[in-house]
Amino acid sequence: MSALSPAATSPPSASVAPASHISPAQTSTQVECTHCRLPMSIVAGNSGPHFCCNGCETAHAVITSCGLDGYYALRDRLEASAASADHAPRRYSEFDDPTFRKLYCREAPDGLVQTELLLEGVHCVACVWLVERLPRVNSAVLESTLDLRRCSVRLTFDPRVGPLSRIAADLDALGYPPHPARRAAQRDARRAEDRQMLVKLAVAGACAGNIMLLFFALYAGMFEGIEGGFQQLFRWAAMILNTICLAWPGLVFARSALGALRARTINLDVPIAMGLYLGGAWGIWKTITGEGDLYFDSISALIFFLLIGRYVQQRQQRFASDALELLFNLAGSTAHRVGADGACVDVPTESLHVGETVEVRAGETIPADGVVLLGNSKVDCSILTGESRPLTVNIGDSVAAGSVNLQSVLRVTVVATGESTRIGKLLRMVEDAQARRAPIVRLADRWGAWLLYGLLLLAAATLIFWWPISPTLAFDRAAALLIATCPCGLGLATPLAMTVAVGLAARCGILIKGGEILELLARPGERGTIVLDKTGTMTEGVLSVARWTGPASVLELAGALCRTSSHPVSKAVVRHLNVAPRMKVAHSHEHRGMGLEGTVIEETSPHEWRVLLGHAEFLGTQNVAIPPDLAFEADRCAANGLSPLFVAVDGVCAGLAEMGDRIRPDTAAAVRRFRAFGWSVRVLSGDREEVVRHVASEAGISPQDALGGICPEAKLNIVRELTSKGRTVMIGDGVNDAAALAAASVGVAVRGGAEASLAAADVSLTSDGLLPVVELLEGARRLMWTIYLTITTSLLYNLVAASLALLGYISPLLAAIIMPASSLTAVAICMKSRPFRPSPRAMRGQTSPGRPNTRGALV
Amino acid sequence: MSVIYIMVPLAFVLAGGAVWAFIRAASGGQYDDLDTPAVRMLLDEEPASRTAPQQIRR
C-alpha cells in the first residue's frame, strides 16, 4: 500500500510485485502492470487494467474505490517531468568521505559510529515504524531512533559491516531522503538549554507544591488553632523550600532583571524580581523572628507559573526553529569532484579545494565559485542577483556558487570555496546585519517600567500611611503589597498569547521565529514600509508563458514539440499547456540559441505539421514572415521586459507566447491590503528596471516606488535607511535579499527561499505568494488585541490587590487566591484566542514536500 | 502528634529523591523528544523482533 503515499511515486513500489510473478507465457504480449508498472506478460487481446500480482490489484481497487484514480494521472505527469532531468538513484557516496565522517559523525571507542540525519517526508506514526525498522533492512545499523518533531533520525551503525552511504541509500529507498544535520554544536547547546529549563521547572513545581501543603496546615491552624511548635516547624520548612526556589529556578528572573538594569532599561522582570526577592527576604526575617504573616506559597507558585509560561514559549520557538533548521539542511551539500582519472566522486561541499574540478549536472546547484572548463549551459542566478532571466555560460565564463545549472552538464574549475565565495560573503553580510539590529522592546517590557514606578509609589504610600501606627506593620503591609501585586498575569499573558499565535500560525504555513516580531507587525507605526522583492515574491520566480496570443491548437502543437527539448523555454511551454500529449513528434531538431524545429503528427489522423519555434530572427532565417499584428504585440511585450516566442505552423507564423516571470494573481490584492493596514509599499529588485516597473505597475505600485537593477549591498543600504526612519518589513526569497531581510525590522522569507534568507528572516512562509503575509499582519493585529485584553484584566486584579494591601485587608490567604485567579484568567483568555485561523486554503501549504509536520504545535 | 517532627523532614527527603530522579532523567535526554514516544507505543512489537538483532543491542 506504500504506493498511496506521494513519496513512493518515483520508484513505484517495486517491493509490491515480486519478480517471480512475471512468468513468460506462450501466446503473450508485454504490457506494464497498471499499478506498479513492472513489465509483465498477458494473454494477447486481453484489454483493461492488468496486474502483476494480487497486491497491486488490491491496491488499485482501494485507490479507485476511494475516488483517487487521479493518482495515476498525477504519477504519470510527475514522472514525465522527472524524466527530463535524469534521475538515477542517488548513491550517497559523499556520506563515506572522511570529511563527512569528521563533520557529522561521532565515533565510539568500540568502533561503532553515531550520526544524526535529517529526513525528508517524515509525517506520521507509520514513518516512525518504518524508519525504526532500519536495522532489519540494513544489517550495519544497530539502532535507529526517529524524532518525529525534528524529523531527525539518530543512527548507531557499525562501519565494519556496511558503509553509511548504503544506509543512506536504504533510507532514500524507503522514501526518506536523508541529509546531514548541520550546525550540530548549536543543536547540542539548545538541547542542554531545554533540559536546564525543564529541571528548573521541576524544582519550582516541587517547591511550590510542598509549600502549598505546609500552608494548608498553617491556614487550617489560623481557623482551628495550631500548636506553636508545629507552626514553627511548618514556617521554617516553608522558608527553606522557598529559599531553594528563589536561589535556583527564581534566578531566571533575577538574571533577566539585573541584565536589564545593567543595560539601563527596565523590563517586566524588574518588578517581578523585586516582588519575589523583597518578599522572600522579608519572609525569612519574619520566620526568624517567629511572628507575622508569610507569603511563601504565593511567591513559589508565582515562580512556578511564570516558568511554565517561559517553558511553553521556549518550546514553541524551538518548534519554529526546528522547522527552519530542516528547511536549511535540505539544501544540497554534495559536489561531484572529478578525479585525476576523469571519474566523478561524490564529496561533501566542505571538502572541495581551489583548483579542483567539479561536475555540475542539469538541475543541480553549483557548489563553489568557479570557471567553466567544459560544456555550455544556462544558469539561473536569480537567487544571487534577483535577475529572472537565465544566463548563458560558455567555456571560460565564471559561475557563482548557489546558482542553478539548468540545461546541460558543466565541468567547473573551483576558484573559491565556502566563506570566500560570493554567497559566503553575502552570508557574512547577513550575520553583520543581524548583529547590528536593535533588539525589539516588547510591549510587556515597556509596561514593566510604569508598573515598577507604580508599585514603588504604592509601597511608599503604604509605608507612610501605616508608619505612625507601627513601623513593623508598615513594612509588613508594604511587603504584602509587593507580593500580591507582582505582575504575574502580565508576565504570563504575553508569552502564552504569543505561543498560541505562533502555534496556530505554523498550522497556516507561517513559521515565526520569535513571538515579539508579531508586536512589530501589528501596526505600521510612523512611516511603516513594506519592501517587496520582485522575483519569486511578487512573481512566480520561474520562466513561464505570461500570455499567449493565437489559436489554442497552435499552442498544443508547440507544446508537443517542446516536449522533446529540455530547454527552459520549452519546459515553460509544456508546463503552461499541462495536458497529456495527443500528438506525436516525428522529428525534431534544436538550433542552439535560436529555436526549435520539428514535425508533429496527430495520433488519430495522419496529418503532419511542420512546426517552428523561436524568436523573430530564427523565423526570418526559415523564411517565415511575421504578420504585423503579432510584430506589434511582440514589441509591446519586449517593452514590458518579456521575451517574445513565435510559433509558426507550415510556414505561417500563427502564435506568440510572451515568455517571462509571471506575476502572481494575488499580488495586487495583497498590496491593496497592505495599504489598507497603513503600510506604504515599495519594490526593490535586482532584475532589470523595465521588468520591475512593469510588474510594479501591474501590482498597483507607482513606478517611482519600484527600483530595479539593485545589487544586494545597495538593497541592504536602502533597507537600513528606511529602518532608521521607521518600521520596515522586508519580504523576499533570494540570497540577494538575505542581508536586507536581516537589516529590516522584520524579515519575511517567502516559500522556496534560499537557505541564507531562511536563516536571516524572522518569519518564513511555506505557502506561495503574498496572501500569507496579509494573514500574518491580520493575525498580529488580532494577537495584540488579545494581549491588551489580558493585560487589562490582570492589571485590574493587581489594582484590587493593591487597594486591599494599602488598606490593610490583605492576608496571605487572600493573596494566595487573587494571584492564581489573575493568572488563570490570563491563561483562559490566551487559550481561547484564535489570532490565526488555519483555513483550507492555507492548509494546502502543509502538503508541500520537505515540510515538517505541525502536529504538537501547541505544547 | 510529635511524629510530625520526623514525618515532615522524611517527606522532604522523599520529595528530594523524586526531584533528583527527574533531574537525572532530564539530563539523560529522556525528555528531549516528547512527541515520538507517544506514538511509538502504538506500534506493535512483533514477536520476531525479539530474536537476534535486538538481543544483541540490549
Side-chain angles (χ1 to χ4, degrees), chain A residues 498-850:
Chain A
M498 299 271 183
T499 305
V500 171
V502 171
L504 284 173
R507 290 183 195 195
C508 298
I510 302 169
L511 300 175
I512 301 165
K513 267 190 204 164
E516 305 87 57
I517 288 142
L518 288 170
E519 288 187 10
L520 291 184
L521 288 171
R523 214 170 290 134
E526 251 177 84
R527 288 176 202 251
T529 314
I530 288 181
V531 183
L532 296 170
D533 172 48
K534 183 194 72 79
T535 316
T537 306
M538 300 174 71
T539 64
E540 280 164 358
V542 285
L543 191 67
S544 58
V545 180
R547 212 167 82 111
W548 166 254
T549 318
S553 57
V554 174
L555 181 63
E556 206 176 325
L557 287 172
L561 183 60
C562 283
R563 241 167 248 283
T564 61
S565 150
S566 66
H567 193 277
V569 170
S570 310
K571 283 186 181 167
V573 173
V574 173
R575 259 200 313 275
H576 182 72
L577 210 56
N578 202 20
V579 288
R582 287 192 302 148
M583 323 268 189
K584 268 192 183 157
V585 177
H587 137 90
S588 81
H589 177 68
E590 195 169 336
H591 299 259
R592 206 165 252 290
M594 300 283 278
L596 200 60
E597 165 190 9
T599 316
V600 180
I601 320 168
E602 198 169 346
E603 264 179 9
T604 46
S605 71
H607 195 90
E608 267 191 25
W609 288 280
R610 189 169 160 268
V611 182
L612 287 173
L613 257 113
H615 44 68
E617 292 90 68
F618 175 63
L619 294 202
T621 59
Q622 302 287 322
N623 296 323
V624 177
I626 292 164
D629 56 328
L630 283 185
F632 176 74
E633 284 289 311
D635 286 344
R636 191 192 51 77
C637 94
N640 286 338
L642 302 171
S643 336
L645 174 78
F646 292 98
V647 181
V649 177
D650 292 337
V652 180
C653 182
L656 167 73
E658 296 173 17
M659 306 299 298
D661 192 3
R662 195 163 43 186
I663 185 164
R664 288 187 201 276
D666 52 16
T667 302
V671 168
R672 273 199 299 278
R673 295 301 298 276
F674 293 157
R675 292 232 172 89
F677 288 141
W679 299 88
S680 57
V681 184
R682 299 189 63 166
V683 182
L684 293 181
S685 174
D687 209 347
R688 283 162 299 144
E689 191 85 45
E690 65 266 24
V691 185
V692 179
R693 288 244 172 87
H694 172 65
V695 170
S697 69
E698 260 183 56
I701 300 165
S702 71
Q704 62 260 32
D705 284 338
L707 292 175
I710 294 182
C711 66
E713 290 80 2
K715 221 177 218 187
L716 172 65
N717 285 336
I718 294 173
V719 169
R720 245 183 211 156
E721 198 189 314
L722 286 171
T723 312
S724 66
K725 284 185 203 150
R727 207 167 278 179
T728 50
V729 180
M730 170 81 203
I731 305 169
D733 66 337
V735 175
N736 60 326
D737 303 318
L741 285 173
S745 317
V746 180
V748 180
V750 298
R751 175 172 185 188
E755 46 184 300
S757 63
L758 293 179
D762 306 298
V763 181
S764 77
L765 309 173
T766 56
S767 41
D768 294 317
L770 287 174
L771 279 189
V773 183
V774 176
E775 230 160 288
L776 176 69
L777 295 177
E778 279 178 351
R781 289 160 82 95
R782 284 195 281 261
L783 169 72
M784 287 321 281
W785 196 81
T786 312
I787 291 180
Y788 282 127
L789 188 68
T790 23
I791 287 181
T792 319
T793 46
S794 81
L795 280 181
L796 271 177
Y797 274 108
N798 278 359
L799 211 64
V800 172
S803 32
L804 285 176
L806 186 65
L807 299 173
Y809 290 119
I810 198 86
S811 73
L813 190 57
L814 207 56
I817 290 167
I818 291 180
M819 207 249 339
S822 123
S823 304
L824 281 178
T825 320
V827 171
I829 295 175
C830 293
M831 286 302 176
K832 287 303 282 180
S833 69
R834 280 268 168 284
F836 289 93
R837 286 151 202 181
S839 63
R841 189 193 65 74
M843 292 298 264
R844 273 211 313 257
Q846 287 203 335
T847 56
S848 63

Side-chain angles (χ1 to χ4, degrees), chain A residues 181-253:
Chain A
R182 290 190 251 168
R183 304 204 281 186
Q186 269 181 35
R187 290 162 72 88
D188 286 348
R190 271 207 312 238
R191 196 169 283 156
E193 205 179 304
D194 282 353
R195 291 175 184 173
Q196 272 301 311
M197 192 68 183
L198 209 56
V199 165
K200 280 178 191 147
L201 194 62
V203 172
C207 289
N210 282 299
I211 292 176
M212 206 180 283
L213 283 177
L214 294 168
F215 267 70
F216 257 95
L218 286 174
Y219 289 143
M222 260 164 56
F223 297 111
E224 307 277 327
I226 189 169
E227 220 174 272
F230 288 154
Q231 197 185 22
Q232 285 306 312
L233 173 70
F234 294 148
R235 285 168 73 104
W236 276 90
M239 192 268 278
I240 292 166
L241 285 179
N242 192 60
T243 315
I244 294 174
C245 199
L246 280 174
W248 188 359
L251 275 187
V252 174
F253 308 103

Side-chain angles (χ1 to χ4, degrees), chain A residues 68-149:
Chain A
L68 298 171
D69 347 16
Y71 158 70
Y72 292 103
L74 183 71
R75 178 184 69 180
D76 293 350
R77 210 156 5 136
L78 278 173
E79 278 179 12
S81 62
S84 50
D86 61 317
H87 263 249
R90 267 196 70 187
R91 304 251 310 282
Y92 291 99
S93 50
E94 78 275 13
F95 278 48
D96 295 333
D97 193 90
T99 323
F100 184 95
R101 185 71 83 71
K102 208 170 80 200
L103 281 171
Y104 305 120
C105 298
R106 232 171 291 174
E107 275 174 58
D110 54 355
L112 299 180
V113 177
Q114 264 202 354
T115 186
E116 200 173 345
L117 298 174
L118 293 173
L119 302 181
E120 274 179 68
V122 173
H123 298 287
C124 62
V125 189
C127 302
V128 180
W129 182 83
L130 202 51
V131 172
E132 299 199 342
R133 291 297 174 279
L134 198 62
R136 291 208 211 161
V137 180
N138 191 317
S139 54
V141 184
L142 293 180
E143 187 157 15
S144 128
T145 319
L146 184 76
D147 186 327
L148 201 53
R149 173 184 274 245

